[in-house]
């Protein structure tokens, strides 16, 4: 799938978001290195802390199926499911990305529409990030 198709898929996924408290819907499409695709949406909870972001939902679905190598994630979001601006992943989601992705090559696409989007590497969005490589003894 090309970027436009992936962005369409992410926008379509907004309908699955469960956001009755913030009314801020988020959808993510995660592409693994083997080409498989995992979707995720945000899932809120009345107690707030148990809520889960769309990006982590997609990652956890993939990892729970044995996939641990990724190349791209597409993220769309907006109040009431209407995407009006690009939305960056939260710090917790960026940290989860550090666990499974090469920060120099993993692409994060923040989209407003199929035509309007920005592409970043994880390293650009999380400079000096802490990950598994930091725990390897030299």
């Amino acid at each position: 799938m090309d970027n436009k198709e992936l962005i369409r898929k992410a926008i379509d996924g907004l309908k699955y978001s469960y956001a009755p408290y913030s009314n801020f819907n988020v959808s993510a499409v995660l592409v693994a290195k083997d080409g498989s695709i995992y979707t995720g949406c945000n899932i809120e909870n009345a107690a707030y802390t148990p809520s889960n972001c769309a990006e982590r939902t997609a990652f956890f679905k993939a990892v729970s199926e044995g996939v641990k190598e990724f190349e791209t994630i597409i993220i769309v979001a907006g109040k009431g499911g209407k995407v009006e601006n690009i939305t960056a992943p939260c710090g917790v989601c960026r940290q989860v990305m550090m666990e499974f992705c090469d920060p120099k090559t993993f692409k994060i696409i923040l989209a407003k529409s199929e035509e309007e989007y920005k592409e970043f590497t994880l390293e650009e969005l999380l400079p000096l990030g802490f990950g598994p490589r930091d725990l390897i003894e030299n």
Side-chain angles (χ1 to χ4, degrees):
M1 294 183 121
D2 66 15
N3 285 350
K4 288 186 178 190
E5 291 172 303
L6 293 168
I7 291 168
R8 267 195 305 275
K9 188 169 187 63
I11 291 169
D12 185 57
L14 286 167
K15 65 186 174 196
Y16 300 114
S17 167
Y18 178 73
Y21 308 106
S22 70
N23 196 32
F24 191 77
N25 306 94
V26 186
S27 174
V29 174
L30 178 63
V31 181
K33 285 194 176 180
D34 69 4
S36 53
I37 294 172
Y38 298 87
T39 59
C41 63
N42 60 323
I43 304 166
E44 293 182 348
N45 187 285
Y48 294 109
T49 303
S51 297
N52 202 49
C53 297
E55 301 90 329
R56 284 183 286 140
T57 298
F59 269 94
F60 296 163
K61 282 169 70 175
V63 173
S64 73
E65 294 180 20
V67 178
K68 296 180 184 135
E69 294 183 331
F70 306 98
E71 60 183 40
T72 306
I73 192 165
I74 292 83
I75 303 164
V76 298
K79 206 74 158 148
K82 186 173 185 201
V83 182
E84 295 180 340
N85 296 298
I86 65 167
T87 301
C90 75
V92 174
C93 288
R94 294 176 202 203
Q95 186 61 47
V96 168
M97 292 174 196
M98 276 296 295
E99 185 67 23
F100 298 103
C101 305
D102 180 340
K104 294 185 182 309
T105 62
F106 183 70
K107 293 184 292 185
I108 301 169
I109 297 173
L110 309 177
K112 181 177 173 183
S113 69
E114 294 171 35
E115 292 77 30
E116 287 185 75
Y117 61 90
K118 293 184 179 183
E119 187 176 309
F120 302 90
T121 63
L122 176 55
E123 185 175 62
E124 289 173 313
L125 293 185
L126 188 62
L128 301 175
F130 181 87
R133 292 181 181 127
D134 295 298
L135 298 176
I136 298 172
E137 291 183 39
N138 294 332

